[in-house]
Amino acid sequence: MSWLRKISLRAWVLSIAAGMIFSLFALAPQIHLWANRGDAWNGSFAISDYDEPAYAAYVQSLIDGKPLRNSPYTGVTSETRPDLPQSLFSIQFLASLPTALIARILGIDASTAMILLSAVSSFLAAMGVLWLLYLLTGHAFYSFGATILVLTLGSMDLEATHFFQSFLDGKALTNMQASFMRRSVPAISFPVLIAFHFFVLKFFDDSKKGTFWAAAIISSFAVLIYSYLFHWTVAAAWITAFALLMLIFKKDEILRLKATILAIGSAMTILLIPYVLLVTSRGSDIDSVQLFVNTRMPDLLRVSELIGLLSTVLIFAGARNGLFVLKDTRTLFLISMNCVPFIVFNQQILTGLTFQPFHYSIFAVNYTVLISLCAVAFSYLNRYVKRSQANRIFVVLTVCGIFLGSMGTVVKAMELRPVNLMRDKFAGVAKVINKIEQSHGGKSESGDIVFFGFANFTYPHNDDFPMYLSIPVLWSPHQIVYSDLSRTDTRSRIFAKLHLEGIDMKQIRENIKSNPILRRGLFGWGREDFRLSGTSNPISKKEMGLLSESYSAFRNEFDSEKARKFELKYLVTYEAAPISFDEIDRWYKRTLIVTREGYRAYRLRLRKIDLSK
């Protein structure tokens, strides 16, 4: 393709170098895990975000041949329950399906697939950002340094409170672990979002191949729609702003290309119709996690908005001195990128609804406004700074970016080291259970459930287990994001977990006060994390009292029928979080099957006698 040949050899080499640097950053936690575990490594992937195991569990379910509508935590699928509503994962299926299909072709499991996804997506993201900057600036070396800065600084939480607080708390470097690398989203969709911007600019640059670029725009937008909400909405907001600016300042060009532009707009609109149908078929309890907030309050002081404003002011100031031409396509391109934060953070003024806007700050507009600012800064450097001095500035920017990215990656890897080591040790136990299941034919009964008896809700094994074995778990922090359990069902499962661990009335009050994951499960995610709901609504003493009464009633009413409802097949315990076996032994017979690295796994069989009588 001619447009590929037009990219200079230096730009190609530097884009590959940038890709390799960020692949290394992405793999740093994994390399750290490999170094710590050595030959004892059990095949687990190192997480850099606590949501990643839930995505990996879903990917594994697709690798195992389950339909898109399924919950790996309960074993329910659209085949066993045809009326199963859509979940976040089945609506955004392109975030997981490609990884699962490639894994099936290569014969690898979800854990290995997540490691490969981390390296490949980071490589493509860095390469895409460099090419976009090169298209805007024409300077390969500057684009290389700017790419590293954009992807490093953009990974900070660009919300004013968190941005400045991170420095006060000494967590600034921890927050520089690149957020675009989170698997499966936005790792899958982020390179596509960058490519979407690239394709639109090429569409106006290379009108002779307008049909090709139009097809690329439509295809990339389709991928964004069914991959990640916060990316396709950013893409839609940006292309709308860009189209309006082009219509105002370059009306003749828009009219010349009106047939193709109308075709692009129509195709993008049509692509949204199936998406809307999927969203309207979602489970109602999903909204307790993906909280909508009714508000019309403007939101104008986010850091990404301030950066966009600064970049726009620099453009208009430069236009007075001939540095920028307001009717130039690239200038309008940059201004439209700066408009996006104001659109996505203030659309509620018209719609009356806002939806977890902090995701835009972490995963989307933080990067796009920095790309614009770097392109604008280059124009000033190119005009007002001598070439030799500019080159030194480019070198300094590159070194600073690599240093900050390296430090952020190392600090994050160290922070998550205990969790990743624990998860890998647990993977060995899970694989032993898997071998036992395979020796019995590998088919579990519909009522079989695995119970993780840890007297602490912070251990991630409940989320991890479906990666290794297709047996439902009693409870998982991410169980609620699927569509098969109501809030009442989730609370009942948490109560069963607490009861079987021997948690009494005094202990549950202490656990609720001290454990955010437990509060999130019992009261909803928005009550624990105000960023999800947009408002601070702390749990009241009255609610705590009512919950304690509900748990007390559950304990008093627990009988053989309820024990049968949660028919447990395996129990896994951890020596660092011991539990009482009194309630377990009251309803089940325990047989120890494996002891490994602090973990114990038991085979459970429900007793036939009702000991409550």
Side-chain angles (χ1 to χ4, degrees):
M1 297 175 69
S2 59
W3 70 272
L4 286 174
R5 290 194 294 271
K6 289 179 181 178
I7 297 177
S8 71
L9 178 62
R10 177 179 292 180
W12 271 105
V13 171
L14 290 174
S15 67
I16 293 172
M20 292 177 67
I21 288 170
F22 278 93
S23 289
L24 185 61
F25 286 169
L27 290 173
Q30 190 66 44
I31 294 170
H32 190 262
L33 177 62
W34 285 333
N36 279 273
R37 294 290 286 161
D39 293 337
W41 179 58
N42 287 310
S44 70
F45 75 96
I47 64 170
S48 56
D49 186 281
Y50 284 101
D51 288 339
E52 290 181 331
Y55 285 102
Y58 185 68
V59 168
Q60 186 61 53
S61 72
L62 299 181
I63 294 173
D64 293 338
K66 292 184 179 179
L68 292 175
R69 282 184 295 145
N70 87 85
S71 170
Y73 296 115
T74 62
V76 176
T77 72
S78 57
E79 295 172 347
T80 59
R81 184 182 158 187
D83 64 341
L84 184 67
Q86 299 289 344
S87 69
L88 296 175
F89 295 88
S90 61
I91 293 171
Q92 300 180 156
F93 62 91
L94 287 182
S96 304
L97 186 59
T99 306
L101 292 176
I102 292 172
R104 292 182 73 174
I105 292 170
L106 297 178
I108 59 178
D109 61 14
S111 188
T112 306
M114 295 296 268
I115 297 172
L116 292 177
L117 173 60
S118 189
V120 173
S121 64
S122 300
F123 183 90
L124 294 176
M127 178 175 277
V129 171
L130 191 145
W131 281 9
L132 179 57
L133 281 165
Y134 181 66
L135 192 61
L136 291 167
T137 65
H139 196 289
F141 187 48
Y142 177 81
S143 298
F144 174 73
T147 295
I148 294 172
L149 274 180
V150 165
L151 294 180
T152 301
L153 296 179
S155 298
M156 298 187 70
D157 189 348
L158 294 189
E159 292 184 83
T161 302
H162 301 90
F163 179 76
F164 296 114
Q165 191 64 41
S166 65
F167 286 95
L168 296 176
D169 294 343
K171 295 181 179 180
L173 286 176
T174 301
N175 293 336
M176 285 185 186
Q177 169 65 19
S179 53
F180 72 88
M181 297 177 183
R182 190 187 74 165
R183 300 157 289 183
S184 291
V185 291
I188 284 282
S189 57
F190 184 78
V192 183
L193 177 64
I194 300 301
F196 179 80
H197 287 76
F198 183 91
F199 296 151
V200 171
L201 189 54
K202 289 297 293 182
F203 172 77
F204 288 99
D205 271 1
D206 190 4
S207 58
K208 293 181 180 179
K209 295 183 178 179
T211 303
F212 170 79
W213 295 117
I217 292 167
I218 294 167
S219 300
S220 57
F221 189 68
V223 173
L224 292 174
I225 291 173
Y226 298 99
S227 295
Y228 195 38
L229 168 68
F230 297 98
H231 278 175
W232 80 256
T233 48
V234 162
W238 169 72
I239 200 169
T240 301
F242 185 49
L244 288 174
L245 288 172
M246 290 290 288
L247 187 61
I248 294 169
F249 291 98
K250 303 195 72 173
K251 185 177 180 180
D252 292 342
E253 186 166 358
I254 293 294
L255 292 176
R256 181 175 61 84
L257 299 169
K258 66 179 180 180
T260 309
I261 292 173
L262 285 173
I264 293 171
S266 300
M268 291 171 65
T269 303
I270 292 170
L271 285 168
L272 283 170
I273 295 174
Y275 179 82
V276 172
L277 294 175
L278 289 174
V279 171
T280 55
S281 301
R282 72 191 185 279
S284 58
D285 286 286
I286 290 177
D287 292 343
S288 66
V289 179
Q290 305 297 110
L291 293 157
F292 287 92
V293 177
N294 294 305
T295 181
R296 292 189 185 274
M297 288 294 293
D299 189 354
L300 299 169
L301 293 176
R302 293 179 182 266
V303 174
S304 53
E305 290 175 304
L306 299 178
I307 293 173
L309 179 62
L310 171 64
S311 180
T312 303
V313 169
L314 289 172
I315 289 172
F316 280 97
R320 296 181 62 183
N321 300 317
L323 189 60
F324 295 97
V325 178
L326 292 180
K327 289 189 176 182
D328 181 72
T329 300
R330 279 168 170 71
T331 302
L332 299 176
F333 183 93
L334 296 174
I335 295 173
S336 63
M337 292 181 81
N338 297 333
C339 290
V340 174
F342 293 95
I343 297 172
V344 297
F345 291 131
N346 293 280
Q347 54 76 34
Q348 70 275 6
I349 296 174
L350 296 177
T351 65
L353 288 173
T354 185
F355 175 65
Q356 297 187 16
F358 78 94
H359 280 97
Y360 290 117
S361 292
I362 299 173
F363 298 127
V365 295
N366 47 337
Y367 295 105
T368 56
V369 293
L370 285 173
I371 290 173
S372 175
L373 182 62
C374 285
V376 171
F378 173 78
S379 297
Y380 276 89
L381 289 171
N382 194 44
R383 168 71 69 87
Y384 297 110
V385 179
K386 293 182 180 179
R387 184 171 181 177
S388 58
Q389 293 176 327
N391 287 338
R392 284 195 288 269
I393 292 173
F394 299 161
V395 171
V396 171
L397 291 177
T398 302
V399 172
C400 288
I402 293 174
F403 173 77
L404 291 174
S406 301
M407 290 300 297
T409 299
V410 170
V411 170
K412 192 69 173 181
M414 293 300 295
E415 179 188 342
L416 291 173
R417 176 180 179 273
V419 174
N420 284 322
L421 288 175
M422 187 189 309
R423 291 175 60 254
D424 189 64
K425 293 175 182 178
F426 166 74
V429 177
K431 289 183 176 182
V432 170
I433 297 175
N434 187 31
K435 287 181 180 179
I436 294 171
E437 286 292 301
Q438 294 300 321
S439 67
H440 291 91
K443 292 184 178 180
S444 60
E445 298 296 326
S446 59
D448 291 344
I449 296 177
V450 179
F451 173 46
F452 297 92
F454 306 146
N456 191 319
F457 274 69
T458 59
Y459 294 101
H461 312 313
N462 307 46
D463 279 342
D464 276 333
F465 189 77
M467 283 192 294
Y468 306 108
L469 193 58
S470 295
I471 297 181
V473 298
L474 179 60
W475 178 79
S476 159
H478 283 88
Q479 216 165 40
I480 192 64
V481 300
Y482 291 91
S483 55
D484 57 316
L485 293 178
S486 66
R487 289 285 300 277
T488 303
D489 293 331
T490 300
R491 180 170 287 193
S492 180
R493 285 172 174 260
I494 294 175
F495 281 174
K497 168 182 166 59
L498 293 166
H499 177 62
L500 292 172
E501 289 173 348
I503 302 297
D504 59 25
M505 298 305 299
K506 180 181 178 181
Q507 289 172 309
I508 190 174
R509 293 189 186 96
E510 293 173 351
N511 282 352
I512 292 173
K513 289 179 180 178
S514 63
N515 200 302
I517 296 177
L518 177 56
R519 293 195 297 273
R520 185 177 290 185
L522 290 172
F523 294 98
W525 289 31
R527 299 295 300 280
E528 173 55 32
D529 189 344
F530 76 92
R531 294 191 304 171
L532 296 177
S533 62
T535 57
S536 179
N537 184 18
I539 301 163
S540 67
K541 290 183 178 180
K542 181 179 179 181
E543 289 175 300
M544 295 272 280
L546 290 173
L547 183 84
S548 298
E549 290 175 11
S550 297
Y551 178 60
S552 177
F554 182 91
R555 280 167 54 90
N556 294 334
E557 295 168 3
F558 197 89
D559 54 16
S560 59
E561 185 178 342
K562 284 193 175 180
R564 237 178 243 109
K565 179 183 178 181
F566 303 110
E567 189 164 342
L568 308 179
K569 189 172 186 179
Y570 294 101
L571 164 66
V572 180
T573 63
Y574 185 47
E575 65 181 9
I579 64 168
S580 168
F581 291 109
D582 292 346
E583 280 300 320
I584 287 287
D585 291 341
R586 185 182 186 192
W587 305 104
Y588 293 90
K589 294 180 180 178
R590 276 188 300 133
T591 305
L592 182 64
I593 56 176
V594 61
T595 301
R596 186 167 181 169
E597 295 190 287
Y599 291 92
R600 289 192 171 198
Y602 301 87
R603 177 69 167 90
L604 299 180
R605 289 175 176 83
L606 192 64
R607 294 183 185 272
K608 296 181 180 180
I609 301 173
D610 184 358
L611 296 181
S612 66
K613 294 183 180 179

